[in-house]
Amino acid sequence: MAVTALAVLAALALLLWGVTSHFAPFLLPDLAAFALAARSAFRCRCRLRRQPPVTLLDVFRSHARRRPRRVLLRFQEEVHTYGDVDARSDRAARALLRRLGLRPGCAVAVLLPNGPAYVWCWLALAKLGCPMACVNTGARGAALRHAVAAAGATRLLSTPEFRVAVEEALPDLHRDGVRVFYLSSTSPTPGVEPLLPDIEDEPPEPVDPQYRAGITPNSTALYIFTSGTTGLPKAAVITEMKLMMVANLGRLCGLRPDDVIYTTLPLYHSAGLLVGVGGCFELGATCVLRAKFSASQFWDDCRRYNVTVIQYVGELIRYLCNTPKRPDDREHGVRAALGNGLRADVWREFLQRFGPVAVWEFYGATEGNAGFVNYTGKIGAVGRANVFLRRFAPYELIEYDVEEDEPVRDERGLCIPVYPGDTGLLVIKITKSTPFHGYMGDTQKTEKKILRDVLVKGDAYFNSGDLLMIDREGFVYFQDRVGDTFRWKGENVATTEVEATMATVSFIQEVNVYGVTVPGCEGRCGMAAVRLRPGRAFDGKQLYGVTSAALPAYAAPRFLRIQDSLEVTGTFKQRKTQLVRDGFDPGAIADPLFIRDDSAASYVPLTHDTFAAILDGKLNL
Ligand SMILES: *[C@@H]1O[C@H](CO)[C@@H](O)[C@H](O)[C@H]1NC(C)=O
Ligand SMILES: *[C@@H]1O[C@H](CO)[C@@H](O)[C@H](O)[C@H]1NC(C)=O
Ligand SMILES: CC(=O)N[C@H]1CO[C@H](CO)[C@@H](O)[C@@H]1O
């Protein structure tokens, strides 16, 4: 098997060497990456095709059996070994079975903070063959009720920490027939029962494996909620196969069983839970959890727990770079960083300041059917357009009309692939090996993510909603979320590009760029919300200078809003919706507002008179 595969690879390599000479410098790394990915996919498939299938839970259990004393979790002062967590999840599985009356396949929603309970709860549910629905800890009221219902869950596990949210939604949850439990020793909420005493009463003995008898590679292991730009979150289906593949990402990036992985990302998202904790299950490695990311504590934690690998999202690295410099900035054992959304400028600054850390930037959507990993370490790139991998996960970048918010189609009604160097919408073909499982109970939303008739009539692609660019050498660059681009004066403005420019201004700590509607104007006019560096004053002339030098006139923000803090989501993505809605009315916004004034070559305060002049069409933007 392996020999045939190698022969095929070698033949392919020889063939391609001549044909695509510009790929030649990267042929070996491309081939190596392909071989690694193929081996990983092969391993996952073999495990899950066995009878009964070997799931990630089984991989965890075999580590727990062979090396029970190995540390799985560190959280604050707590140390939990593989053996401890296995036993704990056995007790919990028994208690859940008895108290919740679960049957295999019943989804159970959890609203839990980052911590060991998240992990043993997950394992307990997996041992019962029940998918866990990971509710965003920020969900309140209707959003909480919606999340539980979207996953089809009839039980919700939480803790008194979320008492306010639970009590607010409780009448509605009860009306929907959902029973709520706290994983605590007592309950402050009438109608919510505590589970901890029951869990502690149970013996640490495994539950009957019969509960997992129905598991196939296709079974739902988890529901992870993805937030769109609009509307309520969608419950993305994570199957056993997908879980296994994503948990193997760390191994693909060279992580080892002796690694200590530091996760400050929320566990209700796939990066923290699947790549981080799941990656540790896969490797038998140690995971250091933190309730919440803290920029000032980050490196102290890394030193204290001997962390070797960190997980990031782009903003997190930016926060780290924004902390005051310290003499011990380079004193840490971190050798690799795993994550996504890191911009080239921040990436460079991070390496310069904190030393040689291998940055494994990857790209992939929770519900997506394929992704990219940077396997060459090219700064700024999310990966390579690997000709070998493309045969298995065929993707295209297609022309996208930002104004109409849909792909451009030719006279035959098909999409148009972009040329190298041009930005296009990433779509990935839906095939047997790259399936798209969609969103639970929402065929309409699932169908919306599927793009049909892309290259030929009748084909189907997963619409990533992301704009990417592949350069002539085959490096892939993330450009924008589809919603992050707006039109102004007939031009596309990429908010991330404007943000990257404004972030270089010395007095700006954080910036969030978006487009606001102006009565009587087509498209959206650029606006930026900024947070100033502590102790620094706003300098309109300097900002004007930097933005005019680096940005085309249509892209430089016309309006500016200074905020004490910029609101971010659980994964530090900036929230734009509310800012867009707020607009630029000085009568309605308490924050200081400025307008770009070309005659003064500066940003000047936006007065009520100026605002009125804009509305009356007397002042042309
Ligand atoms: C997995 O599910 C899909 C439908 O979602 C079905 O077409 C396919 O046959 C299933 N595969 C296996 C191995 O059960
Ligand atoms: C970190 O490493 C040092 C030196 O090897 C060791 O003494 C210490 O106990 C380790 N700390 C943890 C939390 O593993
Ligand atoms: C497989 C591979 O080459 N991965 C690379 C990704 O990028 C970092 C550098 O930032 C390299 O160290 C890794 O080796």
Side-chain angles (χ1 to χ4, degrees):
M1 177 77 208
V3 177
T4 353
L6 269 180
V8 171
L9 278 183
L12 252 176
L14 281 176
L15 193 72
L16 285 157
W17 199 293
V19 183
T20 57
S21 57
H22 61 278
F23 282 124
F26 297 100
L27 193 55
L28 282 181
D30 281 355
L31 263 179
F34 170 72
L36 264 175
R39 202 176 71 179
S40 169
F42 186 67
R43 185 199 342 253
C44 295
R45 254 162 245 274
C46 284
R47 280 184 186 160
L48 283 164
R49 288 222 176 118
R50 295 247 297 265
Q51 282 305 335
V54 176
T55 62
L56 191 61
L57 169 69
D58 299 305
V59 176
F60 160 81
R61 289 175 67 227
S62 78
H63 287 300
R65 220 173 17 246
R66 279 181 303 167
R67 294 192 300 168
R69 304 259 272 278
R70 175 143 185 82
V71 176
L72 170 61
L73 297 171
R74 286 184 185 277
F75 178 71
Q76 298 164 355
E77 301 304 323
E78 300 170 23
V79 180
H80 303 262
T81 64
Y82 274 80
D84 295 341
V85 176
D86 193 28
R88 184 77 168 172
S89 59
D90 280 335
R91 293 180 197 268
R94 296 180 156 274
L96 292 176
L97 195 58
R98 195 158 54 76
R99 292 294 308 281
L100 274 63
L102 292 177
R103 279 200 315 275
C106 284
V108 175
V110 300
L111 177 70
L112 295 173
N114 271 19
Y118 216 110
V119 180
W120 54 253
C121 216
W122 177 20
L123 290 167
L125 290 170
K127 286 175 177 183
L128 297 172
C130 294
M132 174 165 82
C134 309
V135 181
N136 187 313
T137 53
R140 295 288 177 271
L144 176 53
R145 180 191 189 183
H146 163 83
V148 175
T154 53
R155 311 281 187 270
L156 172 68
L157 304 180
S158 190
T159 74
E161 194 174 318
F162 293 116
R163 178 181 175 181
V164 174
V166 167
E167 289 180 0
E168 191 189 327
L170 198 58
D172 281 334
L173 290 171
H174 279 165
R175 218 164 295 135
D176 294 346
V178 176
R179 288 168 67 196
V180 185
F181 299 86
Y182 284 144
L183 293 179
S184 56
S185 44
T186 58
S187 166
T189 306
V192 177
E193 294 163 56
L195 274 184
L196 200 57
D198 297 86
I199 293 173
E200 278 167 354
D201 279 351
E202 293 289 342
E205 280 155 27
V207 292
D208 189 342
Q210 201 51 37
Y211 289 105
R212 305 191 286 280
I215 299 279
T216 70
N218 247 356
S219 303
T220 303
L222 293 164
Y223 295 101
I224 302 266
F225 293 88
T226 66
S227 49
T229 33
T230 52
L232 289 164
K234 299 170 279 196
V237 173
I238 309 290
T239 61
E240 292 288 350
M241 178 63 85
K242 170 125 190 187
L243 171 61
M244 182 77 87
M245 299 275 236
V246 180
N248 267 276
L249 188 68
R251 195 195 279 277
L252 269 181
C253 296
L255 302 199
R256 303 181 300 244
D258 59 346
D259 272 317
V260 179
I261 302 167
Y262 183 47
T263 291
T264 58
L265 304 178
L267 292 182
Y268 55 78
H269 275 320
S270 42
L273 192 68
L274 275 58
V275 180
V277 178
C280 288
F281 287 173
E282 169 66 34
L283 292 161
T286 300
C287 190
V288 178
L289 290 176
R290 196 183 157 92
K292 221 169 166 210
F293 167 72
S294 154
S296 60
Q297 293 300 304
F298 193 88
W299 295 108
D300 288 335
D301 276 351
C302 288
R303 283 181 278 266
R304 169 175 164 202
Y305 297 114
N306 295 339
V307 170
T308 58
V309 176
I310 58 175
Q311 281 193 279
Y312 69 86
V313 289
E315 287 304 316
L316 190 152
I317 299 286
R318 184 186 289 285
Y319 293 150
L320 292 179
C321 291
N322 279 340
T323 54
K325 286 206 164 65
R326 284 176 22 176
D328 59 356
D329 271 347
R330 279 165 173 259
E331 281 163 32
H332 58 75
V334 175
R335 64 177 183 89
L338 215 62
N340 50 37
L342 188 53
R343 289 190 202 141
D345 55 336
V346 184
W347 189 327
R348 261 185 222 109
E349 188 181 342
F350 176 78
L351 293 183
Q352 232 164 45
R353 173 154 169 204
F354 299 105
V357 172
V359 176
W360 289 87
E361 171 81 4
F362 61 85
Y363 166 87
T366 298
E367 71 276 45
N369 49 356
F372 299 104
V373 180
N374 96 287
Y375 50 82
T376 53
K378 173 102 168 176
I379 287 189
V382 294
R384 277 189 53 73
N386 186 314
V387 287
F388 310 111
L389 286 171
R390 193 168 183 167
R391 296 171 63 88
F392 290 86
Y395 58 85
E396 291 294 335
L397 298 191
I398 56 172
E399 280 185 30
Y400 192 76
D401 184 334
V402 170
E403 191 134 42
E404 294 296 323
D405 212 7
E406 60 185 30
V408 180
R409 297 207 178 244
D410 63 13
E411 61 284 355
R412 292 168 301 164
L414 300 178
C415 298
I416 310 167
V418 300
Y419 290 103
D422 285 346
T423 298
L425 175 73
L426 172 74
V427 294
I428 302 160
K429 193 163 186 178
I430 299 172
T431 65
K432 241 185 136 94
S433 53
T434 53
F436 170 54
H437 294 281
Y439 308 106
M440 168 67 177
D442 202 331
T443 43
Q444 213 180 338
K445 278 182 186 151
T446 301
E447 194 52 39
K448 259 178 82 179
K449 288 298 273 185
I450 300 177
L451 204 58
R452 297 186 188 278
D453 305 335
V454 175
L455 293 188
V456 294
K457 289 280 174 199
D459 63 8
Y461 281 70
F462 169 72
N463 178 352
S464 69
D466 290 324
L467 300 175
L468 272 66
M469 188 269 279
I470 300 182
D471 70 10
R472 282 177 195 288
E473 287 183 316
F475 286 101
V476 185
Y477 297 85
F478 178 81
Q479 303 293 93
D480 245 317
R481 280 298 295 172
V482 158
D484 286 349
T485 302
F486 60 85
R487 295 272 287 183
W488 179 240
K489 296 194 190 286
E491 302 280 357
N492 291 346
V493 180
T495 57
T496 45
E497 195 183 313
V498 181
E499 284 163 3
T501 300
M502 294 185 67
T504 63
V505 176
S506 60
F507 58 81
I508 291 181
Q509 172 103 51
E510 273 179 87
V511 53
N512 186 0
V513 172
Y514 50 97
V516 293
T517 49
V518 180
C521 290
E522 287 295 313
R524 287 170 182 274
C525 183
M527 181 157 184
V530 302
R531 183 158 78 93
L532 302 181
R533 280 189 195 277
R536 297 294 302 268
F538 177 71
D539 180 346
K541 278 204 181 312
Q542 186 189 346
L543 180 60
Y544 187 93
V546 172
T547 47
S548 339
L551 294 171
Y554 62 82
R558 297 303 297 184
F559 302 110
L560 192 107
R561 170 177 184 169
I562 296 181
Q563 294 194 292
D564 293 334
S565 65
L566 301 189
E567 204 192 340
V568 291
T569 65
T571 41
F572 310 102
K573 295 205 178 96
Q574 289 170 330
R575 292 192 194 278
K576 300 194 197 260
T577 328
Q578 188 56 41
L579 291 167
V580 170
R581 231 176 272 148
D582 288 354
F584 59 101
D585 178 0
I589 297 169
D591 299 328
L593 292 179
F594 292 82
I595 181 169
R596 185 179 178 84
D597 183 342
D598 291 316
S599 57
S602 180
Y603 280 82
V604 300
L606 174 64
T607 62
H608 291 277
D609 289 345
T610 319
F611 181 70
I614 294 168
L615 291 200
D616 293 344
K618 290 194 192 113
L619 194 145
N620 226 334
L621 291 173

